[in-house]
Amino acid sequence: EAEVAQSPRYKITEKSQAVAFWCDPISGHATLYWYRQILGQGPELLVQFQDESVVDDSQLPKDRFSAERLKGVDSTLKIQPAELGDSAMYLCASSLVQGLNTQYFGPGTRLTVL
Amino acid sequence: GQQLNQSPQSMFIQEGEDVSMNCTSSSIFNTWLWYKQDPGEGPVLLIALYKAGELTSNGRLTAQFGITRKDSFLNISASIPSDVGIYFCACRTSGTYKYIFGTGTRLKVLA
């Protein structure tokens, strides 16, 4: 069964360092989402791509976060510099088309900033 | 902003018991979704609801879309140990493809 792949699964870094997370959506899925999930809370959307274009990044802290999906397939989310408050699970999800409610989530990357 | 409040926050039940949890909002939504998240994993979609009053089942799970379009509930019948996890409701904001998630209900099943 096709799955959304994410790496790394775990990342520990010191504040002020740069970190990057990678996501490979299910093959053929045009829509890709990055979410941040703070412990004890629900996921919060950071950025949504339709193919290679950003559809919504209103919740992305653009002073330190960036996301790209250059060829409309896999995607990278970067944080530079990392802050203590960035410690969270970063989830990637994909769906076949925009608006389709069936989003398939990856296992996430758990980031700890020391 | 728009928020989804879930209750209870957590529940401990005996295996075999039925479970009920709900999700409420001050805003109206046209789509309600229920997800389950296991520890260290991403959420998995359980049930999707599209019409006010709609009642949908998926095995031992039943969910309803409230008539006011401001709430939804999820029931689990005859709970089993693998039902353990965090259950989230989610809604799609009107006019966008953006989803907001509730605060979650943590379920623990005692064998």
Side-chain angles (χ1 to χ4, degrees):
Chain A
E1 182 176 304
E3 295 179 340
V4 175
Q6 289 189 249
S7 68
R9 290 293 306 272
Y10 305 92
K11 179 69 178 179
I12 299 174
T13 191
E14 293 184 342
K15 63 179 182 179
S16 80
Q17 295 298 305
V19 292
F21 314 130
W22 177 78
C23 172
D24 191 13
I26 293 173
S27 178
H29 280 201
T31 309
L32 185 147
Y33 308 81
W34 281 102
Y35 290 87
R36 177 171 59 188
Q37 184 176 25
I38 296 170
L39 192 63
Q41 299 182 20
E44 176 193 25
L45 181 69
L46 291 175
V47 61
Q48 178 188 342
F49 288 92
Q50 178 65 26
D51 298 312
E52 68 276 7
S53 301
V54 172
V55 173
D56 186 334
D57 63 357
S58 57
Q59 298 295 103
L60 189 71
K62 297 179 188 65
D63 57 336
R64 297 184 301 108
F65 286 64
S66 64
E68 59 182 19
R69 193 184 184 198
L70 294 177
K71 297 183 179 179
V73 180
D74 58 339
S75 175
T76 303
L77 178 69
K78 297 179 181 177
I79 308 175
Q80 182 174 17
E83 295 180 353
L84 295 177
D86 296 332
S87 294
M89 175 80 89
Y90 290 83
L91 293 162
C92 178
S94 70
S95 65
L96 188 59
V97 296
Q98 187 167 237
L100 197 64
N101 291 315
T102 307
Q103 293 182 55
Y104 295 88
F105 282 84
T109 295
R110 180 165 293 285
L111 173 67
T112 301
V113 182
L114 303 176
Chain B
Q2 295 171 320
Q3 283 188 318
L4 299 178
N5 298 306
Q6 290 188 244
S7 65
Q9 278 190 316
S10 61
M11 43 195 323
F12 292 77
I13 61 169
Q14 292 286 337
E15 182 177 358
E17 288 184 350
D18 297 343
V19 173
S20 184
M21 60 189 79
N22 65 22
C23 183
T24 60
S25 172
S26 58
S27 303
I28 290 175
F29 291 102
N30 294 322
T31 302
W32 287 80
L33 310 172
W34 283 95
Y35 286 86
K36 177 176 182 275
Q37 185 173 26
D38 292 329
E41 301 294 332
V44 174
L45 182 65
L46 299 173
I47 292 179
L49 303 161
Y50 301 101
K51 291 173 56 177
E54 179 181 355
L55 185 71
T56 298
S57 293
N58 178 8
R60 294 179 296 107
L61 278 60
T62 302
Q64 184 158 30
F65 188 154
I67 291 292
T68 64
R69 293 194 283 154
K70 293 184 177 182
D71 62 351
S72 175
F73 72 74
L74 175 70
N75 287 344
I76 305 173
S77 63
S79 59
I80 59 178
S82 62
D83 290 333
V84 166
I86 305 176
Y87 292 79
F88 290 101
C89 60
C91 293
R92 196 172 85 187
T93 54
S94 179
T96 76
Y97 298 107
K98 180 177 178 178
Y99 297 82
I100 59 171
F101 282 75
T103 49
T105 292
R106 184 181 298 271
L107 176 66
K108 294 199 175 182
V109 179
L110 306 174

Coordinates of all heavy atoms in Angstrom, one line a residue, chain B residues 17-109:
Chain B
E17 N -16.7 -1.7 26.6 CA -17.6 -0.6 26.9 C -17.7 0.2 25.6 O -16.9 0.2 24.7 CB -17.1 0.3 28.0 CG -17.2 -0.3 29.4 CD -16.7 0.7 30.4 OE1 -16.2 1.7 30.1 OE2 -16.9 0.4 31.6
D18 N -18.8 0.9 25.5 CA -19.0 1.9 24.4 C -18.5 3.2 24.8 O -18.4 3.6 26.0 CB -20.5 2.0 24.1 CG -21.2 0.7 23.6 OD1 -20.4 -0.2 23.2 OD2 -22.4 0.6 23.7
V19 N -18.1 4.0 23.8 CA -17.4 5.3 24.0 C -18.1 6.3 23.2 O -18.6 6.1 22.1 CB -15.9 5.2 23.6 CG1 -15.3 6.6 23.6 CG2 -15.1 4.2 24.4
S20 N -18.2 7.5 23.8 CA -18.8 8.6 23.0 C -18.0 9.9 23.3 O -17.6 10.2 24.4 CB -20.3 8.9 23.5 OG -20.8 9.9 22.7
M21 N -17.7 10.6 22.2 CA -16.9 11.8 22.3 C -17.5 12.8 21.3 O -18.1 12.4 20.4 CB -15.4 11.6 22.0 CG -15.1 11.0 20.7 SD -13.4 10.5 20.4 CE -13.4 9.0 21.3
N22 N -17.3 14.1 21.6 CA -17.9 15.1 20.7 C -16.9 16.2 20.4 O -15.9 16.4 21.1 CB -19.2 15.6 21.2 CG -19.2 16.4 22.4 OD1 -18.1 16.9 22.8 ND2 -20.3 16.4 23.1
C23 N -17.4 17.0 19.4 CA -16.6 18.1 18.9 C -17.5 19.3 18.6 O -18.5 19.1 18.0 CB -15.9 17.7 17.7 SG -14.8 18.9 16.9
T24 N -17.2 20.4 19.2 CA -18.1 21.6 19.0 C -17.3 22.8 18.5 O -16.1 22.9 18.7 CB -18.8 22.0 20.3 OG1 -17.8 22.3 21.3 CG2 -19.7 20.8 20.8
S25 N -18.1 23.7 17.8 CA -17.5 24.9 17.3 C -18.4 26.0 17.4 O -19.7 25.8 17.4 CB -17.0 24.7 15.8 OG -16.6 25.9 15.3
S26 N -17.9 27.2 17.4 CA -18.8 28.4 17.4 C -19.1 28.8 15.9 O -20.0 29.6 15.6 CB -18.2 29.6 18.1 OG -16.9 29.9 17.5
S27 N -18.4 28.1 15.0 CA -18.6 28.4 13.5 C -19.3 27.3 12.9 O -19.3 26.1 13.3 CB -17.2 28.6 12.9 OG -16.5 29.7 13.5
I28 N -19.9 27.6 11.7 CA -20.6 26.5 10.9 C -19.6 26.0 9.9 O -18.8 26.7 9.3 CB -21.8 27.2 10.2 CG1 -22.9 27.5 11.2 CG2 -22.3 26.2 9.1 CD1 -24.1 28.3 10.5
F29 N -19.6 24.6 9.8 CA -18.8 24.0 8.8 C -19.6 23.0 8.0 O -20.7 22.6 8.4 CB -17.7 23.1 9.5 CG -16.6 24.0 10.2 CD1 -16.7 24.2 11.6 CD2 -15.6 24.6 9.5 CE1 -15.7 25.0 12.2 CE2 -14.7 25.4 10.1 CZ -14.7 25.6 11.5
N30 N -19.1 22.8 6.8 CA -19.8 22.0 5.8 C -19.3 20.5 5.7 O -19.9 19.7 5.1 CB -19.8 22.6 4.4 CG -20.6 23.9 4.4 OD1 -21.6 24.0 5.0 ND2 -20.0 24.9 3.7
T31 N -18.1 20.3 6.3 CA -17.5 19.0 6.3 C -16.9 18.7 7.7 O -16.2 19.6 8.2 CB -16.4 18.9 5.3 OG1 -16.9 19.2 4.0 CG2 -15.7 17.6 5.2
W32 N -17.2 17.6 8.2 CA -16.6 17.1 9.5 C -15.9 15.8 9.3 O -16.4 14.9 8.7 CB -17.7 17.0 10.6 CG -18.3 18.3 11.1 CD1 -19.2 19.0 10.5 CD2 -17.9 18.9 12.3 NE1 -19.5 20.1 11.2 CE2 -18.7 20.1 12.3 CE3 -17.1 18.7 13.3 CZ2 -18.6 21.0 13.4 CZ3 -17.0 19.5 14.4 CH2 -17.8 20.7 14.4
L33 N -14.7 15.8 9.8 CA -13.9 14.6 9.7 C -13.5 14.1 11.1 O -13.3 14.9 12.0 CB -12.6 14.8 8.9 CG -12.8 15.6 7.5 CD1 -11.5 16.0 6.9 CD2 -13.6 14.7 6.6
W34 N -13.3 12.8 11.2 CA -12.8 12.2 12.4 C -11.5 11.4 12.1 O -11.6 10.5 11.2 CB -13.8 11.3 13.1 CG -14.9 12.1 13.8 CD1 -16.1 12.4 13.3 CD2 -14.8 12.6 15.1 NE1 -16.8 13.2 14.3 CE2 -16.0 13.3 15.4 CE3 -13.8 12.6 16.1 CZ2 -16.3 13.9 16.6 CZ3 -14.1 13.2 17.4 CH2 -15.3 13.9 17.6
Y35 N -10.5 11.6 12.8 CA -9.2 10.9 12.7 C -8.8 10.2 14.0 O -9.2 10.6 15.0 CB -8.1 11.9 12.3 CG -8.1 12.5 11.0 CD1 -8.8 13.6 10.7 CD2 -7.3 12.0 10.0 CE1 -8.8 14.2 9.4 CE2 -7.2 12.5 8.7 CZ -8.0 13.6 8.4 OH -8.0 14.2 7.2
K36 N -8.0 9.2 13.8 CA -7.3 8.5 14.9 C -5.8 8.6 14.7 O -5.3 8.4 13.6 CB -7.8 7.1 15.1 CG -7.1 6.3 16.2 CD -7.7 4.9 16.3 CE -7.1 4.1 17.5 NZ -5.8 3.5 17.1
Q37 N -5.1 8.9 15.8 CA -3.7 9.0 15.8 C -3.1 8.1 16.8 O -3.4 8.2 18.0 CB -3.2 10.4 16.0 CG -1.7 10.6 15.8 CD -1.3 12.1 15.9 OE1 -1.9 12.9 16.5 NE2 -0.2 12.4 15.2
D38 N -2.3 7.1 16.4 CA -1.5 6.3 17.3 C -0.2 7.0 17.7 O 0.3 7.8 16.9 CB -1.2 5.0 16.6 CG -2.5 4.1 16.4 OD1 -3.4 4.2 17.2 OD2 -2.5 3.4 15.4
P39 N 0.3 6.6 18.8 CA 1.6 7.3 19.3 C 2.7 7.2 18.2 O 2.9 6.1 17.7 CB 1.9 6.4 20.5 CG 0.6 5.9 21.0 CD -0.2 5.6 19.8
G40 N 3.3 8.3 17.9 CA 4.4 8.3 17.0 C 4.0 8.2 15.5 O 4.9 8.0 14.7
E41 N 2.8 8.3 15.2 CA 2.3 8.1 13.8 C 1.5 9.3 13.4 O 1.1 10.1 14.3 CB 1.5 6.8 13.7 CG 2.2 5.6 14.0 CD 3.4 5.3 13.1 OE1 3.3 5.7 11.9 OE2 4.4 4.7 13.5
G42 N 1.2 9.4 12.1 CA 0.3 10.5 11.7 C -1.2 10.0 11.8 O -1.5 8.9 11.9
P43 N -2.1 11.0 11.8 CA -3.5 10.7 11.9 C -4.0 9.9 10.7 O -3.5 10.0 9.6 CB -4.2 12.1 11.9 CG -3.1 13.0 12.3 CD -1.8 12.5 11.7
V44 N -5.0 9.0 11.0 CA -5.6 8.2 9.9 C -7.1 8.6 9.9 O -7.8 8.6 10.9 CB -5.4 6.7 10.2 CG1 -6.2 5.9 9.2 CG2 -4.0 6.4 10.1
L45 N -7.6 8.9 8.7 CA -9.0 9.2 8.6 C -9.9 8.0 8.9 O -9.8 6.9 8.4 CB -9.3 9.7 7.2 CG -10.7 10.2 6.9 CD1 -11.1 11.4 7.7 CD2 -10.9 10.5 5.4
L46 N -10.9 8.3 9.8 CA -11.9 7.2 10.1 C -13.2 7.4 9.4 O -13.7 6.5 8.8 CB -12.1 7.3 11.6 CG -10.9 7.1 12.6 CD1 -11.4 7.3 14.0 CD2 -10.4 5.6 12.4
I47 N -13.8 8.6 9.5 CA -15.1 8.9 8.9 C -15.1 10.3 8.5 O -14.6 11.2 9.1 CB -16.2 8.7 10.0 CG1 -16.3 7.2 10.4 CG2 -17.5 9.2 9.5 CD1 -17.4 6.9 11.5
A48 N -15.8 10.5 7.3 CA -16.0 11.9 6.8 C -17.5 12.1 6.7 O -18.3 11.2 6.3 CB -15.4 12.0 5.4
L49 N -18.0 13.3 7.1 CA -19.4 13.7 7.1 C -19.6 14.9 6.3 O -18.8 15.9 6.4 CB -19.9 13.9 8.5 CG -19.7 12.7 9.5 CD1 -19.7 13.2 10.9 CD2 -20.8 11.7 9.3
Y50 N -20.6 14.9 5.4 CA -20.8 16.0 4.5 C -22.1 16.8 4.5 O -22.2 17.8 4.0 CB -20.6 15.5 3.0 CG -19.2 14.8 2.8 CD1 -19.1 13.4 2.8 CD2 -18.1 15.6 2.6 CE1 -17.9 12.9 2.6 CE2 -16.9 15.0 2.4 CZ -16.8 13.6 2.4 OH -15.6 13.0 2.1
K51 N -23.1 16.2 5.2 CA -24.4 16.8 5.3 C -24.9 16.9 6.7 O -24.8 15.9 7.5 CB -25.4 16.0 4.5 CG -25.2 16.0 3.0 CD -26.1 15.1 2.2 CE -27.6 15.3 2.5 NZ -28.4 14.4 1.8
A52 N -25.5 18.0 7.1 CA -26.1 18.2 8.4 C -27.1 17.1 8.7 O -27.9 16.7 7.8 CB -26.8 19.5 8.5
G53 N -26.9 16.4 9.8 CA -27.8 15.3 10.2 C -27.3 14.0 9.8 O -27.8 12.9 10.2
E54 N -26.3 14.0 8.9 CA -25.8 12.7 8.4 C -25.2 11.8 9.5 O -24.5 12.3 10.4 CB -24.7 13.0 7.4 CG -24.1 11.7 6.7 CD -23.0 12.1 5.7 OE1 -22.8 13.3 5.5 OE2 -22.3 11.2 5.3
L55 N -25.6 10.5 9.4 CA -25.1 9.5 10.4 C -24.4 8.5 9.6 O -24.9 7.9 8.7 CB -26.3 8.9 11.2 CG -25.9 7.9 12.3 CD1 -25.3 8.6 13.5 CD2 -27.2 7.1 12.7
T56 N -23.1 8.3 9.9 CA -22.3 7.4 9.1 C -21.5 6.4 10.0 O -21.0 6.8 11.0 CB -21.2 8.1 8.2 OG1 -21.9 9.0 7.3 CG2 -20.3 7.2 7.5
S57 N -21.5 5.1 9.6 CA -20.8 4.1 10.3 C -19.6 3.5 9.6 O -19.6 3.5 8.3 CB -21.8 3.0 10.7 OG -22.7 3.4 11.6
N58 N -18.6 3.1 10.3 CA -17.4 2.4 9.8 C -17.1 1.3 10.8 O -16.3 1.6 11.7 CB -16.3 3.4 9.6 CG -15.0 2.8 9.1 OD1 -15.0 1.6 8.7 ND2 -14.0 3.5 9.0
G59 N -17.6 0.2 10.6 CA -17.4 -0.9 11.5 C -18.0 -0.6 12.9 O -19.2 -0.3 12.9
R60 N -17.2 -0.6 13.9 CA -17.8 -0.3 15.3 C -17.9 1.2 15.5 O -18.3 1.7 16.6 CB -16.9 -0.9 16.3 CG -16.8 -2.5 16.3 CD -15.9 -3.0 17.3 NE -14.5 -2.7 17.0 CZ -13.8 -1.8 17.7 NH1 -14.4 -1.1 18.8 NH2 -12.6 -1.5 17.4
L61 N -17.5 2.0 14.6 CA -17.5 3.5 14.7 C -18.7 4.1 14.0 O -19.1 3.7 12.9 CB -16.3 4.1 14.1 CG -15.0 4.1 14.9 CD1 -14.5 2.7 15.2 CD2 -13.9 4.9 14.1
T62 N -19.4 5.0 14.7 CA -20.5 5.8 14.2 C -20.3 7.2 14.5 O -19.9 7.6 15.6 CB -21.8 5.3 14.8 OG1 -22.0 3.9 14.6 CG2 -23.0 6.1 14.2
A63 N -20.5 8.1 13.5 CA -20.3 9.5 13.7 C -21.5 10.2 13.1 O -22.2 9.7 12.1 CB -19.0 10.0 13.0
Q64 N -21.9 11.3 13.7 CA -23.0 12.1 13.2 C -22.6 13.6 13.0 O -21.9 14.1 13.9 CB -24.2 12.0 14.1 CG -25.4 12.8 13.6 CD -26.7 12.3 14.1 OE1 -26.8 11.8 15.3 NE2 -27.8 12.4 13.3
F65 N -23.1 14.2 12.0 CA -22.9 15.6 11.7 C -24.1 16.3 12.3 O -25.2 16.1 11.9 CB -22.9 15.8 10.2 CG -22.5 17.1 9.6 CD1 -22.0 17.2 8.3 CD2 -22.7 18.3 10.3 CE1 -21.6 18.4 7.8 CE2 -22.4 19.5 9.7 CZ -21.8 19.5 8.5
G66 N -23.8 17.2 13.3 CA -24.9 17.9 13.9 C -25.8 18.7 13.0 O -25.4 19.3 12.1
I67 N -27.1 18.8 13.4 CA -28.1 19.6 12.6 C -27.7 21.1 12.5 O -27.9 21.7 11.5 CB -29.5 19.5 13.3 CG1 -30.0 18.1 13.1 CG2 -30.4 20.5 12.6 CD1 -30.3 17.7 11.7
T68 N -27.1 21.6 13.5 CA -26.7 23.0 13.5 C -25.4 23.3 12.7 O -25.1 24.4 12.5 CB -26.5 23.5 15.0 OG1 -25.3 22.8 15.5 CG2 -27.7 23.3 15.8
R69 N -24.8 22.2 12.3 CA -23.5 22.2 11.6 C -22.4 22.8 12.4 O -21.3 23.2 11.9 CB -23.6 23.0 10.3 CG -24.5 22.3 9.2 CD -24.3 22.9 7.9 NE -25.0 24.1 7.7 CZ -24.7 25.1 6.8 NH1 -23.7 24.9 6.1 NH2 -25.4 26.2 6.8
K70 N -22.6 22.8 13.7 CA -21.6 23.3 14.7 C -21.0 22.2 15.6 O -20.2 22.5 16.5 CB -22.1 24.5 15.5 CG -22.5 25.7 14.7 CD -22.9 26.8 15.7 CE -23.2 28.1 14.9 NZ -23.7 29.2 15.9
D71 N -21.5 21.0 15.3 CA -21.0 19.9 16.2 C -21.0 18.6 15.5 O -21.7 18.4 14.5 CB -21.7 19.9 17.6 CG -23.2 19.7 17.4 OD1 -23.7 19.6 16.3 OD2 -23.8 19.4 18.5
S72 N -20.3 17.6 16.1 CA -20.3 16.3 15.6 C -20.0 15.4 16.8 O -19.3 15.8 17.7 CB -19.3 16.1 14.5 OG -19.2 14.7 14.1
F73 N -20.4 14.1 16.7 CA -20.0 13.2 17.8 C -19.5 11.9 17.1 O -19.8 11.6 16.0 CB -21.1 12.9 18.8 CG -22.2 12.0 18.2 CD1 -22.1 10.7 18.0 CD2 -23.5 12.6 18.0 CE1 -23.1 9.9 17.5 CE2 -24.5 11.8 17.5 CZ -24.3 10.5 17.3
L74 N -18.7 11.2 17.8 CA -18.1 9.9 17.4 C -18.4 8.9 18.5 O -18.1 9.1 19.7 CB -16.6 10.0 17.1 CG -15.9 8.7 16.8 CD1 -16.4 8.2 15.4 CD2 -14.4 8.8 16.8
N75 N -19.0 7.8 18.1 CA -19.2 6.7 19.1 C -18.4 5.5 18.6 O -18.3 5.2 17.4 CB -20.7 6.3 19.1 CG -21.6 7.3 19.8 OD1 -21.1 8.1 20.6 ND2 -22.9 7.3 19.6
I76 N -17.9 4.8 19.6 CA -17.2 3.5 19.4 C -17.9 2.5 20.2 O -18.0 2.6 21.4 CB -15.7 3.6 19.8 CG1 -15.0 4.8 19.1 CG2 -15.0 2.3 19.5 CD1 -13.5 5.0 19.6
S77 N -18.3 1.4 19.6 CA -19.0 0.4 20.3 C -18.1 -0.8 20.7 O -17.1 -1.0 19.9 CB -20.2 -0.1 19.6 OG -19.8 -0.7 18.4
A78 N -18.3 -1.4 21.8 CA -17.6 -2.6 22.2 C -16.1 -2.4 22.0 O -15.4 -3.1 21.2 CB -18.0 -3.8 21.4
S79 N -15.5 -1.4 22.8 CA -14.1 -1.1 22.6 C -13.2 -2.2 22.8 O -13.4 -3.2 23.6 CB -13.8 0.1 23.6 OG -14.0 -0.4 24.9
I80 N -12.1 -2.2 22.1 CA -11.0 -3.2 22.2 C -9.7 -2.5 22.4 O -9.6 -1.2 22.2 CB -10.9 -4.0 20.9 CG1 -10.7 -3.1 19.7 CG2 -12.2 -4.8 20.7 CD1 -10.6 -3.9 18.4
P81 N -8.7 -3.2 22.9 CA -7.4 -2.5 23.2 C -6.8 -1.7 22.1 O -6.2 -0.7 22.3 CB -6.5 -3.7 23.6 CG -7.4 -4.7 24.2 CD -8.7 -4.6 23.3
S82 N -7.0 -2.1 20.9 CA -6.4 -1.4 19.7 C -7.1 0.0 19.4 O -6.6 0.7 18.6 CB -6.3 -2.2 18.5 OG -7.6 -2.6 18.1
D83 N -8.2 0.2 20.1 CA -8.8 1.5 20.0 C -8.1 2.6 20.7 O -8.4 3.8 20.5 CB -10.3 1.5 20.6 CG -11.2 0.6 19.7 OD1 -10.9 0.5 18.5 OD2 -12.2 0.1 20.3
V84 N -7.1 2.3 21.5 CA -6.3 3.2 22.2 C -5.6 4.2 21.2 O -5.1 3.8 20.2 CB -5.2 2.5 23.0 CG1 -4.1 3.5 23.5 CG2 -5.8 1.8 24.2
G85 N -5.7 5.5 21.6 CA -5.1 6.5 20.7 C -5.7 7.8 21.0 O -6.5 8.0 21.9
I86 N -5.4 8.8 20.1 CA -6.0 10.1 20.2 C -6.9 10.3 19.0 O -6.5 10.1 17.9 CB -4.9 11.2 20.2 CG1 -3.9 11.0 21.4 CG2 -5.6 12.6 20.4 CD1 -2.8 12.0 21.4
Y87 N -8.1 10.8 19.3 CA -9.1 11.0 18.3 C -9.3 12.5 18.1 O -9.5 13.2 19.0 CB -10.5 10.3 18.7 CG -10.4 8.8 18.7 CD1 -9.8 8.2 19.8 CD2 -10.9 8.1 17.6 CE1 -9.7 6.8 19.8 CE2 -10.8 6.7 17.6 CZ -10.2 6.0 18.7 OH -10.1 4.7 18.7
F88 N -9.2 12.9 16.8 CA -9.3 14.3 16.4 C -10.5 14.5 15.5 O -10.7 13.7 14.6 CB -8.0 14.8 15.7 CG -6.8 14.9 16.6 CD1 -5.8 13.9 16.5 CD2 -6.6 16.0 17.4 CE1 -4.7 14.0 17.3 CE2 -5.5 16.1 18.2 CZ -4.5 15.1 18.1
C89 N -11.2 15.5 15.7 CA -12.1 16.0 14.7 C -11.4 17.1 13.9 O -10.5 17.7 14.3 CB -13.4 16.6 15.3 SG -13.1 18.0 16.4
A90 N -11.9 17.2 12.7 CA -11.3 18.3 11.8 C -12.4 18.8 10.9 O -13.3 18.0 10.5 CB -10.1 17.7 11.0
C91 N -12.3 20.0 10.5 CA -13.2 20.6 9.6 C -12.5 21.4 8.5 O -11.4 21.9 8.7 CB -14.2 21.6 10.3 SG -15.3 20.8 11.5
R92 N -13.2 21.5 7.3 CA -12.6 22.3 6.3 C -13.2 23.6 6.3 O -14.5 23.7 6.3 CB -12.8 21.6 4.9 CG -12.0 22.2 3.8 CD -12.1 21.3 2.6 NE -13.2 21.8 1.8 CZ -13.6 21.1 0.7 NH1 -13.0 20.0 0.3 NH2 -14.7 21.6 0.0
T93 N -12.4 24.7 6.3 CA -12.9 26.0 6.4 C -13.6 26.4 5.0 O -13.1 26.0 4.0 CB -11.8 27.0 6.7 OG1 -10.7 26.8 5.8 CG2 -11.3 26.8 8.1
S94 N -14.7 27.1 5.2 CA -15.5 27.4 4.0 C -14.8 28.2 3.0 O -14.0 29.2 3.3 CB -16.8 28.2 4.5 OG -17.6 28.5 3.4
G95 N -14.9 27.8 1.7 CA -14.2 28.6 0.7 C -12.8 28.3 0.5 O -12.1 28.9 -0.4
T96 N -12.2 27.4 1.3 CA -10.8 27.1 1.2 C -10.6 25.6 1.2 O -11.6 24.8 1.4 CB -9.9 27.7 2.3 OG1 -10.2 26.9 3.5 CG2 -10.3 29.2 2.6
Y97 N -9.4 25.1 1.1 CA -9.1 23.7 1.2 C -8.2 23.5 2.5 O -7.4 22.6 2.6 CB -8.4 23.2 0.0 CG -9.2 23.3 -1.2 CD1 -9.0 24.3 -2.2 CD2 -10.3 22.5 -1.4 CE1 -9.8 24.4 -3.3 CE2 -11.1 22.6 -2.5 CZ -10.9 23.6 -3.5 OH -11.7 23.7 -4.6
K98 N -8.4 24.5 3.4 CA -7.6 24.4 4.7 C -8.4 23.7 5.8 O -9.6 23.9 5.9 CB -7.4 25.9 5.1 CG -6.6 26.0 6.4 CD -6.3 27.4 6.7 CE -5.6 27.6 8.0 NZ -5.2 29.0 8.3
Y99 N -7.8 22.8 6.5 CA -8.4 22.1 7.5 C -7.9 22.5 8.9 O -6.8 22.8 9.1 CB -8.1 20.6 7.4 CG -8.6 20.0 6.1 CD1 -7.9 20.1 4.9 CD2 -9.8 19.2 6.1 CE1 -8.3 19.6 3.7 CE2 -10.2 18.7 4.9 CZ -9.5 18.8 3.7 OH -10.0 18.3 2.6
I100 N -8.9 22.6 9.8 CA -8.5 22.9 11.2 C -8.8 21.6 12.0 O -9.8 21.0 11.8 CB -9.1 24.1 11.8 CG1 -10.7 24.0 11.8 CG2 -8.7 25.4 11.1 CD1 -11.4 25.1 12.5
F101 N -8.0 21.4 13.0 CA -8.2 20.2 13.9 C -8.6 20.6 15.3 O -8.2 21.6 15.8 CB -6.8 19.4 13.9 CG -6.6 18.6 12.7 CD1 -6.2 19.2 11.5 CD2 -6.7 17.2 12.7 CE1 -5.9 18.4 10.4 CE2 -6.5 16.4 11.6 CZ -6.1 17.1 10.4
G102 N -9.3 19.7 15.9 CA -9.7 19.9 17.3 C -8.6 19.6 18.2 O -7.4 19.3 17.8
T103 N -8.9 19.7 19.5 CA -7.9 19.5 20.5 C -7.6 18.1 20.9 O -6.6 17.8 21.6 CB -8.3 20.3 21.8 OG1 -9.7 19.9 22.1 CG2 -8.3 21.8 21.6
G104 N -8.4 17.2 20.4 CA -8.2 15.7 20.6 C -8.8 15.2 21.9 O -9.0 15.8 22.9
T105 N -9.2 13.9 21.8 CA -9.7 13.1 22.9 C -8.7 11.9 23.0 O -8.7 11.1 22.1 CB -11.1 12.7 22.8 OG1 -12.0 13.8 22.8 CG2 -11.5 11.7 23.9
R106 N -8.1 11.8 24.2 CA -7.2 10.7 24.4 C -7.9 9.5 25.0 O -8.5 9.7 26.1 CB -6.0 11.1 25.3 CG -4.9 10.0 25.4 CD -3.8 10.6 26.4 NE -3.2 11.7 25.8 CZ -2.1 11.7 25.0 NH1 -1.6 10.5 24.7 NH2 -1.6 12.8 24.5
L107 N -7.9 8.4 24.3 CA -8.7 7.2 24.8 C -7.7 6.1 25.3 O -6.8 5.8 24.5 CB -9.6 6.7 23.7 CG -10.3 5.4 24.0 CD1 -11.4 5.7 25.1 CD2 -11.0 4.9 22.7
K108 N -8.0 5.6 26.5 CA -7.2 4.5 26.9 C -8.2 3.3 27.3 O -9.2 3.6 27.9 CB -6.4 4.8 28.2 CG -5.3 5.8 27.8 CD -4.2 5.9 28.8 CE -3.1 6.8 28.3 NZ -1.9 6.9 29.3
V109 N -7.9 2.2 26.9 CA -8.8 1.0 27.1 C -8.1 0.0 28.0 O -7.0 -0.4 27.7 CB -9.1 0.3 25.8 CG1 -10.0 -0.9 26.0 CG2 -9.8 1.3 24.8

